[in-house]
Amino acid sequence: MTKRIAFQGEPGAYSHQACLEAYPDLEALPCQSFEDVIGAVRRGDAELAMLPIENSTYGRVADIHRLLPESGLHIVDEAFVRVRICLMGLPGVTLEEIDTVRAHLVLLPQSANFLKMHGIHGVAAADSAGAARELAESRHRNQGVLASSLAAEIYGLNVLAADIEDHGHNTTRFVIMSREPDYTRRGEIEMMTTFVFEVRNIPAALYKAMGGFATNGVNMTKLESYMVDGSFTATRFYADIEGHPEDAPVRRALEELDYFTNSLNILGVYPAVQARHM
């Protein structure tokens, strides 16, 4: 049986590209929502989930921090995808014929300079890959789409301009999740540990909780707070650290953290990828 990796979006989405680059031997399974991606893995319809967690331009992906701790899944890998934006149109259409492009809302401002230079009006779409499919079906010669080159290939569209994003650093980080954790591996570069925690309601709890990482020389690469159950009190935190829970410094830091928290949930232990250091 062919193993599957689930992603959110239509074929040709950047999440689909992430699946093909990281797991070319797995069948990519498109899902409508992040919840559907998680559900596919929990039911056994897919072995892995490819979930975007943050973007170098726009920050964290909405809702993902809320979903991960309750997913019942475990992070086993990470992947980084450079978001290269292509303007595509129907076969035989030239760039000069395009007066309107459709794309996901986050792609339009990333290509604002190019669109302004060519007098092209941007219209928000629910999904860039979906917009590419709709263009192929609609046959509107004056309309283009901003999406990945993969979407152009899948839907038979021509790339009229490539790499039109305003900034060349735009990258999305994904986490790969499975039903079972894997603490046995050791990365060639280093290991990463991701966890969420809620601090106790005592003065300077977060300050004291973070002290253990400093005194034990553990590098924290990410720390974000977010609301829980609609409360405006930021009591839950999401963190990435370098190292493995079995490493003595990490073990001591987590033990100290546990003293100042009401809950501590390790979401995954996985090898860091080379893209972190590029």
Side-chain angles (χ1 to χ4, degrees):
M1 267 180 68
T2 302
K3 293 185 177 181
R4 291 175 166 181
I5 180 168
F7 69 94
Q8 186 276 327
E10 298 205 29
Y14 288 102
S15 292
H16 186 193
Q17 179 182 330
C19 293
L20 296 180
E21 291 181 2
Y23 294 90
D25 295 333
L26 300 189
E27 177 185 344
L29 175 67
C31 298
Q32 186 172 1
S33 67
F34 293 143
E35 288 89 346
D36 292 337
V37 172
I38 292 168
V41 178
R42 295 186 65 170
R43 289 191 307 271
D45 294 338
E47 281 66 40
L48 299 173
M50 179 69 74
L51 293 169
I53 192 164
E54 59 190 329
N55 178 269
S56 61
T57 301
Y58 282 89
R60 76 182 181 199
V61 175
D63 292 335
I64 203 69
H65 289 61
R66 174 182 60 84
L67 293 173
L68 295 192
E70 316 300 331
S71 68
L73 304 181
H74 306 270
I75 302 173
V76 293
D77 267 313
E78 64 177 353
F80 291 77
V81 169
R82 170 77 165 80
V83 179
R84 299 185 181 277
I85 302 175
C86 296
L87 191 158
M88 58 198 68
L90 293 171
V93 172
T94 65
L95 179 60
E96 290 70 28
E97 295 179 72
I98 303 296
D99 57 30
T100 303
V101 293
R102 298 180 65 230
H104 190 283
L105 184 61
V106 301
L107 293 190
L108 294 173
Q110 294 180 30
S111 306
N113 290 338
F114 180 91
L115 298 181
K116 182 178 180 180
M117 182 188 308
H118 292 274
I120 298 173
H121 176 64
V123 177
D127 181 89
S128 290
R133 174 184 54 77
E134 292 166 3
L135 175 60
E137 295 170 351
S138 70
R139 316 303 295 175
H140 290 153
R141 291 184 60 87
N142 69 317
Q143 190 175 101
V145 166
L146 304 183
S148 69
S149 59
L150 176 62
E153 179 182 341
I154 290 174
Y155 300 110
L157 300 175
N158 281 353
V159 174
L160 304 177
D163 296 342
I164 65 171
E165 57 275 9
D166 294 343
H167 304 287
H169 60 70
N170 191 15
T171 301
T172 298
R173 177 184 173 226
F174 294 82
V175 292
I176 297 93
M177 306 191 77
S178 73
R179 290 183 293 276
E180 300 295 333
D182 184 357
Y183 290 1
T184 63
R185 295 175 300 164
R186 291 285 179 167
E188 294 181 4
I189 304 173
E190 62 196 6
M191 295 297 292
M192 301 296 300
T193 298
T194 295
F195 56 92
V196 293
F197 63 95
E198 292 185 18
V199 294
R200 295 169 56 195
N201 189 22
I202 59 175
L206 180 60
Y207 173 79
K208 295 173 182 176
M210 295 296 95
F213 296 96
T215 57
N216 286 285
V218 176
N219 186 30
M220 180 170 287
T221 61
K222 186 179 184 66
L223 178 65
E224 289 190 357
S225 64
Y226 59 105
M227 294 187 296
V228 180
D229 298 328
S231 170
F232 284 92
T233 302
T235 57
R236 181 172 289 180
F237 295 85
Y238 173 102
D240 292 335
I241 60 172
E242 294 178 353
H244 192 291
E246 295 175 359
D247 298 340
V250 175
R251 186 182 69 249
R252 291 192 296 266
L254 291 176
E255 287 173 353
E256 190 166 337
L257 173 65
D258 188 55
Y259 181 78
F260 295 105
T261 60
N262 292 321
S263 65
L264 172 60
N265 179 19
I266 294 180
L267 298 181
V269 180
Y270 50 96
V273 300
Q274 183 66 40
R276 278 187 170 274
H277 302 275
M278 296 177 64

